Amino acid sequence: MSNERRLLLAILLALGILVVWQMIFPPPQPPPRPAAADGATAAPQDPESSLPGPGQETVTPGATAAGTAPPGTDGAAPIQPDLGPAVGEDEPRILTLETPQALVMLTNRGGRILSWKLTSYKDAQGLNLELVPEAARTADALPLSLQVADPAFQELANSALFRMERVREGDTPAVELTWADGAGASVRKLLEVGPGFEARLEVEARQDGRPLSAAVTWGPGFGASEGKTSGVAGFWYAGRALVAQDPRPLRLSPGDVAPGEVRRTPAPQAWGGMEDTYFTALFLPEPVGPFAVRGTELPAEAGEPETALSVSLELPAGGATGLYVGPKDYQLLSSKGRNLQEVVHFQSGIPLIGGLVTLLTRGLFHALIYLHTNVVANWGWCIVILTVIIKLIFWPVTQKAMLSMKRMQEKTRKVQPKMAAIKEKYRRQGKKDIESRQKMNQEIMALYQKEGINPAGSLGGCLPLLLQLPILYGFYNLLQVAIELRQAPWMLWIQDLSQMDPYYVLPLVMGGSMLAQQALTGTAIADPMQRRMMYLTPALFIFLFLSMPSGLVLYWLVNNLLGILQQWLINRRYEQEKVAVPARRAAAGRKA
């Protein structure tokens, strides 16, 4: 038998044995299939398929897994969001970023700013200037906190311990702060500090694994209390909110917004933030963004809560913003565009003349900058030089007014005996009724007219003072806004032109110069009451100037010294006229 036949016979024998085995031992029947809703038989289920795989959740019968299609849909495969692992740290930690201009301390609790100090500016104790108030640290209300719609998520994001990692060193260091709870909530912040007083912040928040828009805040409160050492009420301020808008920035003080109140800008703006007298912290959104100002209660030193403001910028999901944290330097801010020089508060709120004072303040500021750059690198001597220039500009006007007043005073002094006789006549008559007084005044006015006296002519001496008052307030306003004059020394004990004289020497010398000027002016005043009033004016000015900035007192002192010189020249000229006029009249009579 051939091999092929043997193989065929073996196959047929095996098949026969298999058929006979199936007939003797039949296989067991499967269990009945459950009926579907539409009457169809359900497909069999593999027992292993009911176990949850990696990244899957167990779904109880009758429930729908998150991300799966509900019954009655097309049955597409479910898509689960990638929630990722939990990220954070176990212990509170502080990380410091240092640049040539700033020293920034970050806390991993909430990934916020604990301290922001300017190394190129010092406080009254000579330490690096701190811009985060102590009250904010005490209340754990710190800059770079987040504001979101969900209060629970907001509280968690501002209290969780973030992981902090340096991503760059050098003059422009950067740190990444990340936190995630492993259940879909996460926050990532990237802060880059530098160059200069600039910084940049990226914020990415997620809830249930999905991107979330969030507002980042600066505040509550801002700035140090360095101005409290001065007696000038309201001269220094801190913790004020400002937001760009037309025609000038919106500025709000703590008393303008109640605790819990929120004021939103009607339209996105180019910048907004917090300020004190000389420094500011600004958000610079890319390109613009909506801002809000919030009022918050912070504990005060005396125990009574105080209202503090914070400014928040709403960022889109994964948004970023620039920052400027530094001095309100007009030239520096002007170079950065966005009309940032408006942060320097030249505006004056004085009714009627506020616009004039604002214009004068800007002019005085630019004049001082020019003198300091091109003439002398001492702000005190710049004030002296500028005062001389201003006096020379007004010299012709004041010269004419003061000479006219001097002439009227001399004429009035000469007719004093005649005026006294008129008054004595009516006194002897004993008549004090209105008609008698009117007759007496008519006789005095007739005497004035006969002698060529203008009763209002003596008021011309007030013109120099009236002309100087807007400039005086312009200097006062300038010292509130010019960072250049902060801690700027003049000489000897005057080491800060923006602060009051600690020994009151400058105000007293100023008062003495004013008294000397009044003495020269009032030599021809015959009325004792008017003379007493003139001598009381210096005492009043001394009292007012005791707590004024030294730069302002210096301006008024130099102005008085120049006024004394001018008054001396006027008196001398008048004495020469007294001799020259009769001589000319006598010569004219001889010729006749």
Side-chain angles (χ1 to χ4, degrees), residues 406 515-524 563-565 567-568 571:
K406 182 68 176 180
L515 184 64
Q517 185 180 13
Q518 296 285 33
L520 285 174
T521 304
T523 53
I564 290 173
L565 174 62
Q567 189 65 53
W568 179 79
N571 291 351

Side-chain angles (χ1 to χ4, degrees), residues 296-310:
T296 306
E297 277 194 352
L298 291 181
E301 296 178 359
E304 293 293 330
E306 292 182 349
T307 301
L309 301 183
S310 62

Side-chain angles (χ1 to χ4, degrees), residues 170-499:
D171 290 344
T172 57
V175 60
E176 185 178 49
L177 306 103
T178 52
W179 164 80
D181 64 354
S186 65
V187 177
R188 172 186 172 272
K189 300 177 184 178
L190 178 65
L191 178 64
E192 304 173 5
V193 181
F197 299 101
E198 298 182 36
R200 189 174 185 275
L201 175 68
E202 295 179 7
V203 177
E204 181 181 0
R206 290 179 176 269
Q207 191 173 24
D208 297 327
R210 295 174 176 83
L212 180 71
S213 63
V216 61
T217 68
W218 192 288
F222 177 81
S225 58
E226 58 177 338
K228 290 184 179 179
T229 58
S230 173
V232 186
F235 185 78
W236 280 273
Y237 55 85
R240 204 162 68 173
L242 75 161
V243 180
Q245 66 176 22
D246 292 326
R248 58 177 58 98
L250 170 68
R251 283 181 156 89
L252 295 173
S253 298
D256 298 331
V257 183
E261 182 183 358
V262 180
R263 295 195 186 183
R264 304 183 186 278
T265 56
Q269 301 295 339
W271 50 264
M274 300 291 295
E275 68 170 352
D276 66 7
T277 309
Y278 296 116
F279 301 92
T280 185
L282 299 173
F283 290 116
L284 309 174
E286 304 168 354
V288 294
F291 286 89
V293 180
R294 289 176 169 81
T296 306
E297 277 194 352
L298 291 181
E301 296 178 359
E304 293 293 330
E306 292 182 349
T307 301
L309 301 183
S310 62
V311 172
S312 60
L313 166 66
E314 184 176 342
L315 294 173
T321 178
L323 289 168
Y324 176 87
V325 186
K328 292 158 70 172
D329 187 310
Y330 186 89
Q331 294 174 301
L332 178 61
L333 292 170
S334 298
S335 66
K336 298 185 180 300
R338 295 183 181 234
N339 210 26
L340 274 177
Q341 68 273 10
E342 290 299 321
V343 173
V344 183
H345 193 197
F346 284 118
Q347 289 77 24
S348 171
I350 300 180
L352 300 180
I353 65 170
L356 175 61
V357 171
T358 299
L359 184 63
L360 283 172
T361 303
R362 289 180 182 270
L364 292 171
F365 172 76
H366 289 293
L368 283 177
I369 292 291
Y370 177 83
L371 291 173
H372 190 268
T373 304
N374 299 283
V375 180
V376 57
N378 181 294
W379 292 105
W381 290 117
C382 288
I383 291 176
V384 172
I385 295 172
L386 184 57
T387 307
V388 173
I389 293 173
I390 293 172
K391 191 68 176 180
L392 292 176
I393 291 174
F394 286 103
W395 190 281
V397 178
T398 56
Q399 179 83 357
K400 183 177 180 181
M402 294 171 70
L403 185 58
S404 175
M405 184 189 71
K406 182 68 176 180
R407 291 167 178 164
M408 288 299 106
Q409 288 176 347
E410 287 293 334
K411 289 182 178 181
T412 304
R413 185 178 62 83
K414 289 180 179 179
V415 299
Q416 279 297 314
K418 297 180 180 179
M419 290 177 58
I422 294 174
K423 292 178 181 180
E424 180 63 20
K425 181 181 70 172
Y426 282 92
R427 188 188 66 79
R428 287 197 304 267
Q429 292 177 359
K431 295 181 179 180
K432 298 183 179 180
D433 56 285
I434 296 177
E435 183 178 356
S436 298
R437 289 182 177 276
Q438 288 179 344
K439 289 181 179 179
M440 181 184 71
N441 291 333
Q442 288 174 358
E443 287 192 34
I444 292 175
M445 293 303 296
L447 177 64
Y448 281 163
Q449 187 174 6
K450 178 181 177 182
E451 298 292 336
I453 298 174
N454 180 9
S458 59
L459 298 178
C462 299
L463 180 62
L465 180 61
L466 293 176
L467 290 175
Q468 295 293 332
L469 283 179
I471 299 174
L472 176 68
Y473 194 83
F475 263 109
Y476 175 83
N477 200 35
L478 174 63
L479 289 165
Q480 293 190 76
V481 301
I483 183 71
E484 292 83 357
L485 293 176
R486 176 187 177 271
Q487 296 183 350
W490 177 37
M491 64 177 186
L492 301 177
W493 69 96
I494 304 297
Q495 294 299 311
D496 189 347
L497 290 166
S498 68
Q499 290 277 0

Side-chain angles (χ1 to χ4, degrees), residues 5 22 62 70 73 75 112 130 200 205 290 300 311-312 343 355 445 450 455 529 532:
R5 288 184 177 182
Q22 290 288 338
T73 64
R112 298 170 298 167
E130 176 65 76
R200 189 174 185 275
V311 172
S312 60
V343 173
M445 293 303 296
K450 178 181 177 182
M529 181 63 69
R532 283 194 294 270

